[in-house]
Amino acid sequence: MRSANPALKESTFLDLGSGTVVSRDGDTMSINGTVNKTAFLLVLTVLTAAFAWSQAVGADGQPAPGFGIYAWGGAIGGFVIAMVTIFKKTWAPVTAPLYALVEGFFLGAISALFNAYYEGIVMQAVLLTFGTLFAMLFAYRSGLVRATENFKLGVVAATGGIALVYLATIVLGFFGIQIPMIHESGIVGIGFSLFVVVIAALNLVLDFDFIESGAEQGAPKYMEWYGAFGLMVTLVWLYVEFLRLLAKLQGRD
């Protein structure tokens, strides 16, 4: 049940004292329930993203005065709510919808900006994101891709490496230092983005496996919201990486 997604880690469904799944009376987590809640979270994200899109970028394609509020406010707010959800899983029925709403502001703002520079890029990224989601779901359900222990270890290690690179980029950026090539539109930059997209897509397999394991082991009903939240985290990451990849490809024209 290991997952590279910090929201869906090995101990999520376990009693840390005994190492076994906590038994509870009443309804338990189901795959269909998680799917329905994921769809609901996606709708909430689209609603706030559409609003932020209309407010964050002006008619000239430049960021509007409120761009920073939607972009940075959504990013920081989403991160804070995500941390609260991870540490207070029982709050997921409330915090997961809040995360979707706040993250929508961030996605709408950056999507409008990307689209201003590269018209049509957002629709391409959306189609690629959902196409990847359904392709990986099919591969997982059909057995073409199996979440073996070695597979999980590899994806977790690669995801951790990517996180370190991004963290180093942020820290060095405060000192005016840029990591060469990987964030540019050259061959190395495009190759790096392709690698990140592949790892993000493979994380979907781990998320599917994690959610299925939770349903099979009788996790409490509120974990449907938590599972949907965890899947949303991966989808947001995948969408943003598709935007970056497509921007690099179009930047070479």
Side-chain angles (χ1 to χ4, degrees):
M1 290 172 62
R2 182 183 284 105
S3 173
N5 187 333
L8 301 178
K9 58 185 179 180
E10 188 173 5
S11 63
T12 297
F13 296 126
L14 303 181
D15 181 295
L16 297 180
S18 63
T20 58
V21 174
V22 178
S23 59
R24 293 176 174 81
D25 297 329
D27 292 337
T28 58
M29 179 182 183
S30 69
I31 293 176
N32 286 339
T34 305
V35 169
N36 292 336
K37 289 173 176 59
T38 302
F40 178 70
L41 296 184
L42 285 170
V43 170
L44 293 180
T45 303
V46 169
L47 289 176
T48 51
F51 176 78
W53 178 298
S54 67
Q55 301 294 317
V57 176
D60 57 355
Q62 298 301 312
F67 175 82
I69 296 176
Y70 295 111
W72 286 106
I76 296 173
F79 176 78
V80 171
I81 296 173
M83 290 298 100
V84 171
T85 307
I86 290 171
F87 288 104
K88 289 289 187 178
K89 301 173 182 64
T90 54
W91 294 4
V94 174
T95 57
L98 285 177
Y99 170 81
L101 289 169
V102 173
E103 200 69 22
F105 289 122
F106 164 71
L107 294 177
I110 65 167
S111 296
L113 189 61
F114 269 93
N115 198 69
Y117 287 102
Y118 307 103
E119 187 174 357
I121 193 175
V122 170
M123 183 55 65
Q124 295 172 22
V126 169
L127 292 176
L128 285 170
T129 299
F130 284 100
T132 301
L133 170 64
F134 291 119
M136 299 308 295
L137 179 59
F138 173 79
Y140 174 74
R141 297 298 294 176
S142 64
L144 293 175
V145 178
R146 297 184 182 278
T148 64
E149 190 64 20
N150 288 335
F151 177 89
K152 296 175 184 178
L153 287 171
V155 174
V156 169
T159 304
I162 293 168
L164 289 176
V165 170
Y166 282 156
L167 179 61
T169 299
I170 294 172
V171 173
L172 292 174
F174 288 124
F175 300 96
I177 303 173
Q178 300 295 325
I179 297 179
M181 295 186 289
I182 64 172
H183 299 300
E184 299 171 0
S185 299
I187 297 298
V188 175
I190 292 174
F192 176 75
S193 285
L194 281 171
F195 173 74
V196 175
V197 164
V198 169
I199 297 304
L202 293 178
N203 268 274
L204 289 172
V205 174
L206 301 193
D207 296 343
F208 298 150
D209 180 68
F210 191 85
I211 292 169
E212 185 176 60
S213 297
E216 289 176 351
Q217 297 186 41
K221 192 69 173 177
Y222 68 81
M223 291 301 293
E224 291 179 350
W225 284 105
Y226 191 81
F229 156 75
L231 190 55
M232 281 290 299
V233 171
T234 302
L235 287 174
V236 168
W237 178 31
L238 183 62
Y239 170 73
V240 171
E241 293 302 336
F242 269 127
L243 277 179
R244 286 167 49 82
L245 174 60
L246 291 171
K248 288 179 181 180
L249 290 171
Q250 294 193 30
R252 291 176 60 86
D253 296 340

